[in-house]
Amino acid sequence: AQSVTQLGSHVSVSEGALVLLRCNYSSSVPPYLFWYVQYPNQGLQLLLKYTSAATLVKGINGFEAEFKKSETSFHLTKPSAHMSDAAEYFCAVSDYNNDMRFGAGTRLTVKP
Amino acid sequence: EAQVTQNPRYLITVTGKKLTVTCSQNMNHEYMSWYRQDPGLGLRQIYYSMNVEVTDKGDVPEGYKVSRKEKRNFPLILESPSPNQTSLYFCASRVADGSYNEQFFGPGTRLTVL
């Protein structure tokens, strides 16, 4: 079965700094990969997804992620952090068996 | 507005008192699922349903029941809640055609079992 590991349960950056949230996956078949964001007291909202088209995926709010098969990674980046980016971020993996599995989450703090 | 709704949003109950958390979606999605979110564990799937009258266990089904009598509704039932079921619960839905489609999540239900 596929699985996801998110490195770092908490990440803190200064406003304007690069955001890098790490995600590594394990899957025996070509995966579909997702990044979701959860703002306080809200449900999960899709940021972006990889479905075997372009390896560099652009999402909402200036985020992007690159699928690297050789590294089994799907790291999320944003060039310049904004205070409104403070939230919890989840990486998820799915395959043709319809199971979606989530990582443990990374809480992003943005310092002024 | 396309959405997944859950009720109640907050619930405090006592051990053994049966409860139901409702979930409804207005997007005509075939696939619906329930997750629980616990600190450090992310989201874990409890049950899912591929369509009406079709349900299956996820990773953590013990202590939960579901039913899917109508396409839009997928209630989660705890017949005898215990403190270890204190958690944040999310309902989600998506089209059934392809697991590359993202799931749409409800706002969550925070359950405390005393």
Side-chain angles (χ1 to χ4, degrees):
Chain A
Q2 71 273 36
S3 64
V4 165
T5 301
Q6 291 184 240
L7 299 175
S9 58
H10 291 89
V11 170
S12 181
V13 300
S14 298
E15 193 173 19
L18 171 72
V19 175
L20 171 60
L21 305 182
R22 299 177 187 274
C23 172
N24 287 88
Y25 70 90
S26 171
S27 178
S28 58
V29 296
Y32 305 124
L33 294 159
F34 306 79
W35 274 101
Y36 284 87
V37 60
Q38 183 181 32
Y39 298 105
N41 298 314
Q42 295 187 27
L44 279 71
Q45 177 183 353
L46 182 72
L47 273 179
L48 51 81
K49 65 179 181 181
Y50 167 76
T51 59
S52 76
T55 57
L56 181 62
V57 182
K58 294 187 184 300
I60 62 171
N61 301 337
F63 285 94
E64 63 181 37
E66 185 172 10
F67 173 71
K68 292 187 176 180
K69 184 178 179 180
S70 61
E71 299 178 7
T72 60
S73 69
F74 190 57
H75 302 331
L76 182 71
T77 60
K78 182 174 180 178
S80 176
H82 191 271
M83 296 296 290
S84 62
D85 295 327
E88 188 151 22
Y89 293 79
F90 292 94
C91 183
V93 62
S94 181
D95 65 23
Y96 60 82
N97 286 326
N98 293 309
D99 295 330
M100 178 177 275
R101 291 213 159 72
F102 288 82
T106 298
R107 184 166 299 279
L108 175 66
T109 301
V110 182
K111 299 175 291 185
Chain B
E1 179 189 356
Q3 60 183 349
V4 179
T5 57
Q6 295 178 228
N7 282 292
R9 293 288 313 277
Y10 302 91
L11 179 60
I12 300 174
T13 189
V14 295
T15 298
K17 185 176 181 181
K18 181 179 179 180
L19 66 91
T20 299
V21 183
T22 65
C23 172
S24 183
Q25 51 93 6
N26 62 1
M27 294 170 279
N28 201 36
H29 287 165
E30 296 85 4
Y31 181 99
M32 297 185 74
S33 61
W34 276 103
Y35 293 86
R36 60 178 289 173
Q37 182 183 2
D38 300 291
L41 297 177
L43 279 78
R44 294 177 292 167
Q45 191 177 57
I46 303 170
Y47 270 94
Y48 66 95
S49 169
M50 294 294 291
N51 214 324
V52 175
E53 302 291 0
V54 180
T55 63
D56 210 343
K57 296 178 181 179
D59 294 323
V60 289
E62 293 77 21
Y64 304 95
K65 285 178 58 177
V66 293
S67 69
R68 187 89 182 275
K69 293 182 169 52
E70 303 166 287
K71 194 173 187 179
R72 63 183 292 129
N73 296 324
F74 190 43
L76 179 69
I77 303 156
L78 285 72
E79 295 213 324
S80 184
S82 62
N84 65 11
Q85 293 178 298
T86 292
S87 187
L88 180 58
Y89 291 86
F90 288 101
C91 181
S93 73
R94 65 164 171 80
V95 295
D97 183 19
S99 54
Y100 49 82
N101 289 303
E102 69 268 26
Q103 295 193 69
F104 294 83
F105 285 81
T109 295
R110 186 167 294 280
L111 172 65
T112 301
V113 183
L114 302 174

